[in-house]
Amino acid sequence: MNYIKINNLENFSVYQTFDCGQCFRFDPVKNIENENYSVEGVALGKYIRFEQPSPDTLIIYNSTEEEYERIWKNYLSLDADYSVVKDDIYHRFTDDDTMCSAMEYGSGIRILRQEPWEAVCSFIISQNNNIPRIKKIIAEMSRAYGEPIGNGYYSFPTPKALVEAGIEGLTALKTGFRAKYIYDAASRVYDGRLDLDHIKKCDTETALRLLQEVKGIGLKVASCSLLFGFGKTDVFPVDVWIKRVLDKYYPNGLDLNSLGEYAGIIQQYLFYYERYNNGGS
DNA sequence: AGCCAGGACAAGT
DNA sequence: ACTTGTCATGGC
C-alpha cells in the first residue's frame, strides 16, 4: 500500500488526538503488521489512515505529499505551533497543578480542523449521549445517507441528504429526540438561513449567537462546533465532564474569561484528563 | 431497576 | 435570572 512519512513532529500523538473525544469517525486499526499505533476512518470525504511509528513521525496511508500539504496538514493542525500554545497556557497557570498536569497528560492532543457541517451535526447528536453511541449513530447515518467512498466507508451526509431523509429517516437511526434538531439544522444550512461560510468569518460571539438560532443547539453544542469545525479556539465548551472538573479542582471558581485565545485547547486538556481519570470509555 | 451519557428546551418559580 | 422535569436510546 502506498504511504507517505512525515518527520520531525512535536507535540503530536495520533492516539491522543483521535481518542480525546473531538471526532467520531475514527477507530484504532487492529491486527496490523507491526506494533505501531494506527487509526483509520473518514475525514473530508476520504478514507484515510494515520499511523505513528515514533513520537516524531507520522505515516499517512493512501495519500501523497501534495495531498498532505494541501489537506491533512491543516486537518491535523500540524501547521500550528503548539509550543506557543503551551507556553501561553503555562504562563497563565504557572502555579496551577491541575492545569499543568492536564496539559502534560494530553500533551499530544491537536485540535482537528473538521468540516463545519460535520462538526455542527455531530455535536447536535452528542447531546445527552455517550461517545460510543454517538459514533454508532454517525456511522449508521453515513452509511444510510452519505456517499460510498470505497472499502465500505461512506462520506458524511450533506444537509440536503438529511433533509431528504426527513424526521422519519433520522428517527430510524435511533437519534431519539435529536431527530428534529438534526432536521432543523440541515434545513437551515440547505436553504441558506444558516450560512456556515459566513459563521466562519464572524467573531466568536456572533458565531455563537447565530448557531444557537438552530433548534437543539445551545451554548455547549455551539462552542464545540466552533472549536472543532470552525478553527475558533477561544471558546470553552462546558459539558458534564468539565462541570466535574470545575467542581472538583476549582471550588472557588475558575475565571472563564481569563483563559485567552486557546481556551478551547485548555478545555480539551482538562476534558481528556478528567475523563481518563474516571475511567470513561 | 435506576443512573448516566461532550444538553437543550419549556415551564415553573 | 435561576431551578426542575422531560426528552429517546442503550450500556452498565
Side-chain angles (χ1 to χ4, degrees):
Chain A
M1 180 185 265
N2 65 312
Y3 64 87
I4 61 168
K5 183 181 285 189
I6 314 298
N7 297 304
N8 303 319
L9 297 172
E10 295 179 343
N11 300 308
F12 177 58
S13 160
V14 169
Y15 176 82
Q16 292 181 353
T17 296
F18 288 91
D19 184 54
C20 73
Q22 62 174 318
C23 67
F24 305 104
R25 302 211 66 196
F26 282 83
D27 290 298
V29 179
K30 297 184 170 71
N31 302 321
I32 59 179
E33 54 282 357
N34 56 57
E35 296 298 317
N36 302 332
Y37 188 78
S38 180
V39 298
E40 64 182 346
V42 179
L44 310 176
K46 301 171 186 293
Y47 163 80
I48 196 72
R49 173 176 157 195
F50 302 111
E51 182 172 319
Q52 191 161 32
S54 68
D56 65 343
T57 308
L58 169 67
I59 290 176
I60 306 180
Y61 290 90
N62 192 28
S63 188
T64 64
E65 294 283 355
E66 182 276 326
E67 193 177 77
Y68 170 72
E69 292 295 332
R70 181 167 51 86
I71 295 179
W72 302 117
K73 190 175 188 176
N74 176 265
Y75 177 75
L76 297 167
S77 280
L78 289 175
D79 50 359
D81 187 350
Y82 267 55
S83 67
V84 171
V85 173
K86 291 180 175 180
D87 282 348
D88 181 85
I89 298 172
Y90 180 72
H91 286 115
R92 289 172 192 274
F93 298 97
T94 303
D95 300 321
D96 186 331
D97 291 339
T98 299
M99 198 66 77
C100 291
S101 298
M103 186 160 58
E104 175 62 27
Y105 180 73
S107 62
I109 293 174
R110 297 263 173 167
I111 303 296
L112 297 172
R113 298 203 184 94
Q114 303 179 58
E115 291 182 293
W117 165 243
E118 178 171 342
V120 168
C121 188
S122 294
F123 281 94
I124 288 174
I125 294 170
S126 80
Q127 69 179 256
N128 201 32
N129 212 340
N130 58 70
I131 291 178
R133 208 168 81 86
I134 296 165
K135 292 176 71 169
K136 183 180 290 185
I137 288 172
I138 292 174
E140 276 302 300
M141 195 167 83
S142 299
R143 190 189 60 76
Y145 300 108
E147 297 296 326
I149 56 176
N151 295 328
Y153 288 89
Y154 294 83
S155 63
F156 194 88
T158 62
K160 180 175 190 289
L162 295 184
V163 168
E164 289 167 356
I167 303 277
E168 317 76 41
L170 295 170
T171 301
L173 298 170
K174 310 297 184 185
T175 51
F177 62 86
R178 307 168 193 84
K180 56 183 179 293
Y181 299 160
I182 300 167
Y183 185 81
D184 187 53
S187 301
R188 286 171 181 267
V189 173
Y190 184 47
D191 67 23
R193 282 175 294 160
L194 182 62
D195 184 345
L196 300 181
D197 293 329
H198 174 64
I199 285 177
K200 185 151 188 168
K201 292 181 283 190
C202 287
D203 61 276
T204 296
E205 188 183 357
T206 305
L208 286 172
R209 180 171 53 77
L210 291 174
L211 281 172
Q212 289 178 94
E213 289 179 359
V214 177
K215 282 292 177 191
I217 297 186
L219 180 57
K220 192 273 174 181
V221 169
S223 300
C224 281
S225 300
L226 291 182
L227 177 60
F228 302 122
F230 294 81
K232 299 190 186 297
T233 57
D234 57 335
V235 290
F236 191 81
V238 178
D239 72 330
V240 294
W241 294 96
I242 293 297
K243 281 186 181 129
R244 228 167 261 154
V245 167
L246 296 178
D247 290 344
K248 188 169 168 184
Y249 301 108
Y250 300 96
N252 299 324
L254 174 67
D255 183 4
L256 301 185
N257 293 317
S258 69
L259 302 177
E261 61 180 308
Y262 306 119
I265 303 177
I266 292 174
Q267 179 273 165
Q268 200 58 21
Y269 289 141
L270 292 172
F271 174 85
Y272 190 60
Y273 183 60
E274 182 64 10
R275 190 162 173 275
Y276 171 83
N277 287 336
N278 282 277
S281 59

